[in-house]
Amino acid sequence: FYCARNVQLHSIATGIGNMIGNKGGVGIAFCLNNTSFCFIGSHLAAHQEKCEARNANYRDIADRLNLKAIGNGGKASEFSVLNQFHHVIWMGDLNYRIDGLPRQEVFRLIEIQNWDR
C-alpha cells in the first residue's frame, strides 16, 4: 500500500515581464514512502536566437519554484528545487534546436555518443 504525502504545486510565469503565463513552468512535488519526487513541466522561450532567454527561463523556474522536500520542516531552503529532492524529472517544450547538421548526421553522432559536435 503506497501513500503519497506532502503534495505541493507551484507555477512560475517567465513570459513578458515575468507576468504573462505564455512561458514558464509548473511543478508538483510529493513524497512517496520515503522518497521525494519533483516533476517540472515547462515552456521556454522559442526561436533559434533566444538561447540565452531559454537558459534564463530555466534558471528562473529552478530558482523560483516554491516546493520543499520533506525533512525541511516547512522552512525555506537555500537550495533550488534541483537539489532538494531524491528525483527531479524536467520535461516540456524546451525549444532547443540543432542547426547546421543533416538529420541523419545528428542520429549518427548520437549513436556514437559524440556530444562535442
Side-chain angles (χ1 to χ4, degrees):
F1 177 109
Y2 293 99
C3 179
R5 56 190 162 79
N6 194 33
V7 178
Q8 305 164 68
L9 177 70
H10 192 232
S11 63
I12 297 294
T14 61
I16 299 169
N18 288 336
M19 299 296 291
I20 307 293
N22 64 326
K23 303 291 187 238
V26 62
I28 185 167
F30 57 90
C31 189
L32 186 62
N33 289 335
N34 292 320
T35 305
S36 60
F37 294 87
C38 180
F39 290 85
I40 301 169
S42 63
H43 188 193
L44 306 183
H47 305 296
Q48 185 63 31
E49 68 280 1
K50 300 287 187 176
C51 187
E52 286 304 315
R54 281 187 287 283
N55 293 343
N57 290 163
Y58 167 81
R59 286 188 298 274
D60 284 347
I61 294 166
D63 291 342
R64 293 175 40 219
L65 268 179
N66 188 15
L67 302 168
K68 294 167 189 61
I70 271 292
N72 199 22
K75 298 176 184 170
S77 172
E78 62 185 80
F79 299 110
S80 78
V81 294
L82 301 177
N83 297 307
Q84 293 186 57
F85 298 90
H86 291 112
H87 302 283
V88 177
I89 294 91
W90 194 304
M91 58 199 131
D93 186 352
L94 306 180
N95 275 316
Y96 286 97
R97 291 154 169 81
I98 299 173
D99 276 344
L101 292 175
R103 182 180 179 98
Q104 289 306 317
E105 178 66 4
V106 171
F107 289 145
R108 187 186 72 75
L109 292 170
I110 292 169
E111 179 73 28
I112 64 171
Q113 299 183 11
N114 181 347
W115 314 122
D116 295 328
R117 206 108 183 245

